[in-house]
Amino acid sequence: MTAAIRAVPATARSMAWAPFAVASGSVAGLVVAQRPWDGQQLSLGLARLTLVLVAVGAALALDDEAAVTVACSPTSLLWRRAVRLALAVAGAAAVTVVALFAVGATGSTGGVPLDRLVVEGAGILLLAMALSTAVGGDRGAFLFAVGLLGAVVVQQRWPAWSLFPMAPGAPGWSQAGLVWGVIAAVSAGALFVISRDPCLRRRSVRSATRTNRRGLPTTSTESCEWG
Amino acid sequence: MSATETAAVQQEAPPTPGLGAPTSSEWRVARAVARIEARHLLRAAIVPAGLGLLMSVGGGDDVVELPSASFNSAFNLLLLAAVTLVASHRAVTRARRDGSEELFATTAAPARARTGGHLLAVMVPTMLGVVVTAVSVAALVSQAKPVGELVWSELAVGPVLVAGAGCLGVLLARLWPQPFTPYLACFLIAVAELGVNTPVFAGSGLRWLVFWVEGTLWWLLPRHSAAHLVYLLGLVAMAAVGAVVRHGLTRRLAGVGALAVAVTVVAAGVQMRQPQDHWRAADAMFAAPESVQRCWGRDGVRYCAFPRFRDVMAHVEGLVASVRAVTPEEAWPSPLAVTQRVTALDLEYAGPAADVLSHVVDMPRGRVRQPDDGELHPALEFGWSTVQELGLGVQLGAKTVGLPVVPDPRTGEVCLAVGQARAVVALWLGGHASDDAGDGLAWLVERASEAPAARGRPLHDAVLPIADVDVYGGFVVSLDDARLALELLRRDSSDVTARLAEHWDVVSRPTTTSAELAQLAGVPVPVGGAPRAPFVAHMDPDLVRLGVPCR
């Protein structure tokens, strides 16, 4: 635990915060451009777009190029990833809270349902992070962005199948909120499972003992000596 | 690259690659890089291209307006374009991610040749875009009832966008190799697209400067399609030249770049010019429609249409005939006239832009209301609203049973026909207008049942106008009445038709209740009773205002 706490400043320094900063700047720019203080209604489509951008920024911030090098450090993989995830989630949450506070303070949310948007945002963020943790930040961000954009495009033709209803109150709006809640929960669970230290996983004898082409046993790269 | 090619390239590699005209070895490197990278891009593009194909062949609209569909064809390729942008950027920056960038300096693959290879590789997703567009055209022409003509220069926009996105990805990778750059570029483009496809820009020439624009208002806001295509091609050339120029400026590149800039600027200027002639013609459509319409008669019905929208009326004739087939001959309204008008549906995306479009005389400052002249007035654009076909059928049904065909033109009020048998009959007749009309009614009922506005008020009090963007019929029914109409639509049509014909005098009377109609038709009687404090749960209050009970 102490080692994990000590790892926080170092992990924060090693993370790629630039994408996150640019995404946050875009959120601010978008809110300012829509001039909510003049009574202009905020666009739900643009709000969702910025959520996706923040999620991509968070996914890229999770990219851990040194993961292999430090795989056998005394701090377990779960803690290392937990610190990285916590920092990214804290950053995204800070951006979201500030944006929501700014929008709420102007009192002109228009048709944008902020509570639903938070659920959707949590689902989007956790999905991006789970993908990023599973396949790497850069590739995860790519898969996430393509998948989500694909869903948005398909929505135009088949709205009934969509996770993104056209407007609050449209058919499918209630179900979509539920779906995003499920996505958030499943992604959080996936993040936990992916981040578990390989040493703590149950491994069958078959998978633990690997052989090369000559039939000789090989050593796993995930060493458990620091357990 | 094969070993022979590598050896040949190493022999001919210039000592200072990237300067001067490209050598034959650079071309060879570029081709070899293109072959490899094309495979990577193809792998990334398969899924978005597949989605584009699904979008092209899916749907199943009864009527497809080819000019509008030509404008919108590029939409199916937007995902492919976005993926190509990101994938191109990732391909160029792969060496940077792998930490092998410096190693390339020791090989016979100069950066300029590699950039050229990446640019050539973009041809593969572009060709995929061409295939998707071709399938889309085939689907449009073969699946649905096509109206109007294809606009080929608009159809070319999609593949050109894919090419441009790929070139932009390469350019951005050479300028800003950070991994977030392509996502930010996609975001900014999406913001521009979302921003410009709003009514605010409906009458502005600036609207055409973004890559893809919705084609809904093609008849009122035509684009100089050829100029837009040239403009896009100019942008593509600028991106490609810009990417190569990063490795050194040559005279030839400078010339091509200057030409691309000039062509782009001229084409942008041409497409931003306002189409005054077109707007004068639109003026006449608003001010004196009868002066420009052509009329004809068929089966005792008089049809009038604007020349450019004549084909749409063939579909309308089919809708009228379908309703007539289930209406008792003695009840059929005669004479009947069906005359095209510019409706609220046609102006959905231009309504708030009326101030911008003030040059069009009689352009409505609010919602367009249909005249109460006893005629039916179908819209210019037909086939994309969920309830448009149902709506026309319901108007015909309303005329048949003696209910108002349109809301009060002065006040916009609709009368309350809740619990009236004739209103259910009008819905039932409207549900026969087309194969999808019944689904339109089911969609409306579902929408009203889920409406958040109903929270805190009994859903039993919610009433249903037949309305989407426009209001069809001058009356509203209760949700129970609408469900009864749906139940009748589910029953055997010939049986219900025979029963209604037998009791037509009764069911078309204003005093007959929907419960009595249910008994006559042999379906379960609604038990809810009439709403006590009727309200419209799911519609904009400006769209529908409730009036007095229908007489």
Side-chain angles (χ1 to χ4, degrees), chain A residues 18-20 22-23 26 30 45-46 49-50 53 56-57 60 65 116 138-139 141-142 145-146 149-154 156-158 168-175, chain B residues 44 47-48 51 54-61 75-76 78-79 82-83 86-87 90 97 179-180 183-184 186-188 190-191 194-195 443 446-447 450-452 455:
Chain A
F20 209 70
V22 174
S26 304
L30 209 64
L46 289 180
L49 208 57
T50 48
L53 195 69
V56 169
L60 289 171
E65 289 173 3
R116 286 297 176 84
D138 196 59
R139 182 178 287 187
F142 179 63
V146 171
L149 273 175
V152 171
V153 169
V154 168
Q156 304 301 319
R157 178 65 88 169
W158 294 284
W173 172 246
S174 311
Q175 295 92 311
Chain B
V47 170
L51 278 177
L54 267 178
M55 301 272 291
S56 304
V57 299
D61 296 328
F75 180 83
N76 297 342
L78 288 185
L79 181 63
V83 169
V86 180
R90 282 169 52 81
R97 284 198 305 279
F180 194 55
Y183 301 104
L184 187 62
C186 287
F187 171 75
L188 293 175
V191 168
L194 280 174
W443 178 81
E446 184 192 356
R447 192 172 167 192
E450 287 189 351
R455 286 179 198 156

Side-chain angles (χ1 to χ4, degrees), chain B residues 2 37 60 89 109 118 187 215-216 241 278 307 329 341 369 423 524 536:
Chain B
S2 68
E37 295 300 339
H89 189 280
H118 285 292
F187 171 75
T216 314
V241 169
H278 211 88
E329 194 53 42
R341 285 280 186 278
R369 290 188 177 135
V536 178

Side-chain angles (χ1 to χ4, degrees), chain B residues 159-476:
Chain B
V160 173
L161 282 188
V162 177
C167 293
L168 182 62
V170 176
L171 172 67
L172 290 175
R174 288 302 182 208
L175 291 173
W176 298 291
Q178 292 79 11
F180 194 55
T181 308
Y183 301 104
L184 187 62
C186 287
F187 171 75
L188 293 175
I189 291 169
V191 168
E193 290 282 357
L194 280 174
V196 91
N197 276 305
T198 57
V200 177
F201 286 94
S204 166
L206 285 173
R207 186 176 192 238
W208 307 123
L209 292 184
V210 296
F211 308 129
W212 171 76
V213 176
E214 202 169 27
T216 314
L217 283 173
W218 63 272
W219 57 275
L220 182 60
L221 300 167
R223 168 155 79 185
H224 297 274
S225 298
H228 185 68
L229 186 61
V230 173
Y231 164 76
L232 288 181
L233 288 170
L235 288 178
V236 174
M238 281 167 64
V241 169
V244 181
V245 162
R246 287 289 293 168
H247 308 297
L249 183 63
T250 64
R251 197 172 292 173
R252 191 182 294 177
L253 272 179
V256 174
L259 183 65
V261 171
V263 167
T264 307
V265 169
V266 170
V270 170
Q271 67 171 342
M272 283 174 68
R273 269 189 326 183
Q274 302 289 31
Q276 300 295 343
D277 292 345
H278 211 88
W279 281 342
R280 269 193 286 277
D283 277 352
M285 290 169 71
F286 282 100
E290 57 283 350
S291 67
V292 285
Q293 284 186 331
R294 307 253 168 83
C295 299
W296 68 98
R298 179 159 298 166
D299 298 334
V301 182
R302 184 170 184 265
Y303 295 95
C304 294
F306 297 106
R308 280 193 303 161
F309 296 87
R310 167 70 179 80
D311 293 347
V312 177
M313 289 302 270
H315 180 61
V316 173
E317 285 177 18
L319 300 179
V320 172
S322 298
V323 176
R324 185 170 194 167
V326 292
T327 308
E329 194 53 42
E330 65 277 12
W332 184 250
S334 184
L336 178 64
V338 182
T339 310
Q340 266 184 340
R341 285 280 186 278
V342 179
T343 69
L345 193 78
D346 298 314
L347 293 169
E348 185 188 3
Y349 295 101
D355 289 336
V356 183
L357 297 171
S358 54
H359 46 268
V360 178
V361 294
D362 283 353
M363 171 63 86
R365 288 290 180 266
R367 192 163 293 282
V368 179
R369 290 188 177 135
Q370 297 184 36
D372 187 15
D373 54 6
E375 298 183 2
L376 300 190
H377 295 294
L380 308 183
E381 298 196 45
F382 218 89
W384 62 267
S385 166
T386 316
V387 300
Q388 200 178 6
E389 291 173 346
L390 167 75
L392 190 80
V394 167
Q395 285 185 316
L396 196 46
K399 197 169 170 58
T400 307
V401 297
L403 280 166
V405 175
V406 294
D408 188 314
R410 285 167 295 126
T411 62
E413 285 181 350
V414 290
C415 67
L416 297 168
V418 290
Q420 292 190 10
R422 57 178 181 162
V424 178
V425 172
L427 296 193
W428 179 79
L429 288 172
H432 283 85
S434 71
D435 294 341
D436 303 330
D439 294 339
L441 182 59
W443 178 81
L444 271 181
V445 171
E446 184 192 356
R447 192 172 167 192
S449 306
E450 287 189 351
R455 286 179 198 156
R457 302 185 73 169
L459 193 60
H460 176 69
D461 283 354
V463 292
L464 186 76
I466 304 305
D468 182 6
V469 175
D470 211 346
V471 184
Y472 303 95
F475 64 96
V476 293

Side-chain angles (χ1 to χ4, degrees), chain A residues 125-149:
Chain A
L125 188 70
L126 288 169
L127 181 64
M129 287 180 161
L131 272 173
S132 172
T133 310
V135 298
D138 196 59
R139 182 178 287 187
F142 179 63
L143 290 176
F144 163 76
V146 171
L148 208 62
L149 273 175

